């Protein structure tokens, strides 16, 4: 729905008024005209104020166009006034425009047509001005409320304008004070700003003063050119809290790092001492043990036949236990040697290591009549040959050992390429391992069976796990109780052929 346009038409000449009204009606679909004939009509209209635009003649019997214009604009600055006359001079026109006249039309028959267009343009312009004023008010309100300081300065750091938050941040009463005390600090990188090209932006964390106390601020500056003059538009934000938290965190990190480092060093030290201790004990135990073993053998040989049965059994037990202890010490020494010293890795052909493993396990294999099937062509891996030999010897020895009585051990070994790694599988038809026990068997001394059933020290898989860890590989097992086991190790593949 279009709004009705209410127009005051002020002219002493009836036919001139009629011409204006005709043009207005032609242009605006809904127009309401009030004709003003004298001073009292005009006064009344101004008092009522119910009009949106004014068209006035310059020459009036009771006043003149300039007076009308000033009266209207005084009370209704947003109301367009269009003047038309045949007597007005250029000076009058200039004077009238200065007083806020929206348009000026000469009184000639061809010109009447311009009046409605002049009103329309003036109305539109006023609407735009009003919207701009409203925006300006809203912007000002925003600038006043915002906690971030906003300012514009010269290149030398002299602040030209700023919002209240800016003054508040610096604890200043006025811009003059900011400039006088140089609160933003002209030294704050302003000189570097000159090197920038508009509209380049710069962000700096600076330390400023507020009432003598230092605080951290984020200063964001943009170089702009406004009407040919280079200025700096800036934002100033108090970041003290964030900065302090950051500093605290940094401090904490440093302390934490030092503490972790100290602790690690202590632990490593303790570990090394413990390992050295375990090693020397194992080593020292060996000598007396060898003596016991030696004498037991001598006694067995010398007295074996003459001893009574139970005494012979005691002697045999001493010998058997001493031997078992010897194996345990040997295993412990292997394990603790694995934890010490540097370990070098090199390309190692898996088939070569497996051949050595088979040779080492030959007695057990023939004793159990085990069937071992090893894939013909096996890849080369990155490993330490000695450690890999220990690892595979333990895995294969277990595969042959943990098989139910009366069952022929059947072991299958094959490799699988997994991206840049090789996974070697050792599958047996043994007694299997319950899933909930599969983690713990890799810890030292964990055994799931009695020694009578299956001999062993419980250190084999610990050697496997430690050894694999030292050559940066991985180990795992897939198994179900009673359904055989599949152990695997994974190591980096060596691509080039040796
Ligand atoms: P050991 O062989 O000296 O007993 P290990 O550390 O080699 O010690 O093995 C720990 C335990 O894990 C074994 O006692 C056994 O119960 C279980 N285990 C290891 N390998 C197998 C396997 N291939 N099949 C079934 N059980 C196994």
């Amino acid at each position: 729905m279009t709004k009705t346009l209410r127009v005051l038409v002020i002219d002493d000449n009836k036919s001139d008024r009629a011409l204006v009204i005709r043009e207005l009606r032609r242009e605006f679909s809904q127009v309401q005209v009030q004709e003003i004939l004298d001073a009292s009509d005009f006064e009344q209209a101004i008092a009522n104020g119910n009009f949106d635009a004014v068209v006035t003649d310059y020459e009036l019997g009771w006043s003149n166009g300039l007076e009308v214009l000033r009266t209207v604009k005084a009370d209704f600055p947003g109301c367009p006034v269009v003047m038309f006359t045949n007597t007005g001079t250029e000076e009058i026109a200039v004077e009238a425009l200065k007083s806020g006249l929206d348009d000026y039309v000469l009184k000639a028959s061809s010109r009447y047509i311009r009046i409605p267009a002049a009103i329309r343009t003036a109305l539109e312009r006023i609407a735009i001005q009003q919207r701009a004023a409203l925006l300006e008010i809203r912007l000002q309100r925003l600038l006043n409320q915002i906690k971030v300081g906003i300012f514009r300065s010269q290149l030398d750091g002299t602040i030209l304008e700023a919002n209240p938050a800016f003054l508040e941040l610096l604890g200043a009463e006025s811009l003059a004070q900011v400039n006088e005390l140089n609160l933003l600090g002209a030294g704050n990188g302003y000189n570097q700003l000159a090197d920038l090209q508009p509209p380049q932006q710069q962000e700096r964390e600076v330390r400023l003063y507020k009432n003598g106390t230092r605080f951290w601020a984020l200063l964001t500056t943009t170089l702009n050119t406004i009407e040919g003059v280079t200025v700096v538009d800036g934002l100033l934000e108090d970041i003290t809290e964030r900065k302090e938290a950051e500093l605290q965190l940094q401090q904490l990190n440093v302390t934490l790092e030092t503490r972790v480092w100290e602790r690690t060093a202590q632990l490593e030290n303790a570990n090394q001492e413990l390992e050295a201790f375990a090693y020397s004990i194992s080593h020292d135990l060996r000598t007396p043990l060898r003596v016991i073993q030696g004498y037991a053998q001598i006694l067995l040989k010398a007295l074996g036949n003459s001893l009574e049965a139970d005494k012979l059994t005691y002697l045999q037990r001493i010998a058997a236990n001493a031997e078992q202890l010897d194996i345990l010490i040997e295993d412990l020494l292997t394990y603790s040697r694995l934890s010490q010293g540097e370990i070098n890795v090199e390309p190692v052909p898996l088939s070569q290591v497996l051949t050595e493993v088979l040779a080492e396990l030959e007695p057990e294999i023939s004793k159990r009549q085990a069937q071992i099937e090893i894939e013909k062509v096996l890849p080369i891996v990155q490993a330490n040959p000695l450690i890999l030999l220990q690892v595979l010897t333990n895995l294969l020895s277990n595969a042959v050992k943990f098989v139910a009585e009366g069952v022929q051990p059947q072991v299958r070994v094959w490799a699988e390429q997994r991206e840049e790694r090789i996974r070697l599988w050792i599958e047996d038809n043994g007694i299997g391992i319950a899933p909930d026990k599969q983690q713990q068997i890799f810890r030292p001394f964990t055994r799931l069976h009695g020694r009578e059933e299956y001999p062993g020290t419980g250190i084999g898989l610990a050697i496997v796990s430690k050894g694999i860890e030292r050559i940066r590989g991985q180990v795992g097992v897939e198994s179900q109780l009673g359904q055989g086991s599949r152990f695997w190790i994974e190591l980096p593949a060596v691509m080039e052929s040796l």
Side-chain angles (χ1 to χ4, degrees), residues 398-399 401-402 428 431-433 441 446-449 456-462 485 487:
N398 282 350
K401 181 166 67 172
F402 293 102
D428 63 41
I431 52 175
I433 306 154
I441 53 171
T446 311
R447 308 197 74 242
L448 305 178
H449 313 93
T457 57
I459 301 180
L461 286 182
S485 309
F487 279 83

Side-chain angles (χ1 to χ4, degrees), residues 385-423:
L386 188 68
I387 291 182
L388 194 55
L389 179 71
Q390 286 165 342
V391 165
L392 291 175
T393 306
N394 276 296
L395 290 176
L396 261 95
S397 141
N398 282 350
V400 173
K401 181 166 67 172
F402 293 102
V403 178
E405 196 143 3
V407 176
Q408 185 201 20
Q410 284 178 345
V411 183
R412 205 161 70 85
V413 180
W414 75 98
E416 193 181 279
Q417 176 103 27
R418 296 193 156 208
E419 286 169 8
E420 287 174 1
R421 293 171 79 81
I422 299 293
R423 183 174 274 209

Side-chain angles (χ1 to χ4, degrees), residues 342-348 381-385 387 467-473 491-492 494:
E342 288 283 306
I343 281 167
N344 298 321
V345 290
E346 58 190 76
V348 182
V381 292
Q382 195 69 21
N384 174 289
I387 291 182
I468 284 290
E469 175 199 315
R470 293 294 320 259
I471 54 177
R472 288 186 215 102
L491 289 165
V494 175

Side-chain angles (χ1 to χ4, degrees), residues 475-488:
V475 58
V477 62
E478 289 177 2
S479 181
Q480 289 294 334
L481 211 53
Q483 292 178 17
S485 309
R486 276 173 164 195
F487 279 83
W488 57 262

